Amino acid sequence: AQRVTQPEKLLSVFKGAPVELKCNYSYSGSPELFWYVQYSRQRLQLLLRHISRESIKGFTADLNKGETSFHLKKPFAQEEDSAMYYCALINAGNNRKLIWGLGTSLAVNP
Amino acid sequence: DVKVTQSSRYLVKRTGEKVFLECVQDMDHENMFWYRQDPGLGLRLIYFSYDVKMKEKGDIPEGYSVSREKKERFSLILESASTNQTSMYLCASSSGRAQYFGPGTRLTVL
């Protein structure tokens, strides 16, 4: 079955510390992976997608097909990074629906 | 920029009422989605539409219906609201893989 797993419901780090939000997936085929972010009282928005191979707000994520992972990383966390983060996978059999992880709430403490 | 708007940010209804949630997108996207977002449960797809007058059930369609008479507008209907439908409802649109979200409607059913 196609599945996205975010093992941590809550991740708490101090400002300036490295942060890694984990995402593992189960999928047979060539997936496209996304990270979405929702800041407090704001809409859910696309943070980055693996095919773009870009860094957004200092975050990067590399697709590791061997480990079926797409972890989100940032070397130095900032307080404004505190948000809910969702990992999602496109269903290539029907490229309209996303399969979502349950989300990780990141708290960056001063 | 993709603009997805939802008719209400907050809505309070009584059990048994018929409730309409409206979503409008201005980017000529073919696909539109309705999700509900609940703490600990992530995003769950209710219905989606890939064309005018076309719809498909998502993961939790029970108690909901949808309408898409025009490409830019996708309505979610609760035929007879119940307290367990109290939730945050998110609308999204896409032309391909990445989805773009509205601000959400927080519905409370008393």
Side-chain angles (χ1 to χ4, degrees):
Chain A
Q2 296 158 351
R3 186 181 297 122
V4 175
T5 303
Q6 294 180 251
E8 301 133 333
K9 279 189 178 179
L10 175 65
L11 186 62
S12 184
V13 301
F14 285 104
K15 177 182 172 181
V19 62
E20 180 179 68
L21 292 92
K22 291 184 167 52
C23 173
N24 292 93
Y25 65 90
S26 171
Y27 187 77
S28 54
S30 296
E32 183 171 351
L33 276 292
F34 303 84
W35 276 100
Y36 281 80
V37 61
Q38 189 171 31
Y39 301 102
S40 179
R41 296 189 179 85
Q42 293 189 28
R43 68 180 68 196
L44 191 60
Q45 57 187 284
L46 178 65
L47 180 61
L48 52 80
R49 52 202 300 180
H50 90 268
I51 60 170
S52 301
R53 303 185 68 84
E54 57 192 344
S55 173
I56 303 291
K57 300 186 179 184
F59 285 97
T60 59
D62 291 316
L63 181 62
N64 185 325
K65 292 186 178 181
E67 295 183 0
T68 59
S69 68
F70 187 56
H71 302 329
L72 184 68
K73 300 176 184 178
K74 185 170 182 177
F76 307 103
Q78 303 298 315
E79 290 180 67
E80 55 265 31
D81 296 327
S82 297
M84 178 68 83
Y85 291 81
Y86 292 95
C87 182
L89 164 69
I90 196 79
N91 181 341
N94 173 348
N95 66 357
R96 303 178 184 109
K97 293 200 299 183
L98 285 171
I99 299 166
W100 295 86
L102 294 183
T104 297
S105 178
L106 174 65
V108 181
N109 304 300
Chain B
D1 265 359
V2 177
K3 189 94 179 282
V4 181
T5 57
Q6 294 183 230
S7 49
S8 306
R9 289 302 300 271
Y10 299 94
L11 209 51
V12 179
K13 296 292 181 181
R14 296 208 173 273
T15 302
E17 280 193 80
K18 190 168 186 176
V19 182
F20 293 87
L21 302 183
E22 303 282 337
C23 176
V24 178
Q25 52 95 4
D26 67 355
M27 287 303 292
D28 202 36
H29 284 171
E30 299 87 5
N31 308 312
M32 296 188 75
F33 307 81
W34 275 107
Y35 294 91
R36 60 179 285 177
Q37 183 182 34
D38 299 286
L41 299 178
L43 276 74
R44 292 182 290 169
L45 182 64
I46 304 171
Y47 267 98
F48 71 100
S49 168
Y50 50 89
D51 202 351
V52 175
K53 298 190 186 295
M54 304 302 287
K55 62 186 179 185
E56 280 194 29
K57 292 180 180 179
D59 301 315
I60 52 163
E62 297 79 17
Y64 303 95
S65 62
V66 290
S67 172
R68 191 156 180 213
E69 297 296 319
K70 293 185 178 182
K71 192 174 186 179
E72 68 270 19
R73 188 179 298 270
F74 192 35
S75 302
L76 180 69
I77 303 153
L78 287 67
E79 293 289 342
S80 177
S82 63
T83 54
N84 62 12
Q85 292 178 310
T86 291
S87 185
M88 173 68 86
Y89 289 87
L90 303 183
C91 175
S93 74
S94 79
S95 62
R97 296 169 181 266
Q99 292 181 13
Y100 299 90
F101 284 82
T105 296
R106 183 165 293 282
L107 172 67
T108 302
V109 182
L110 302 175

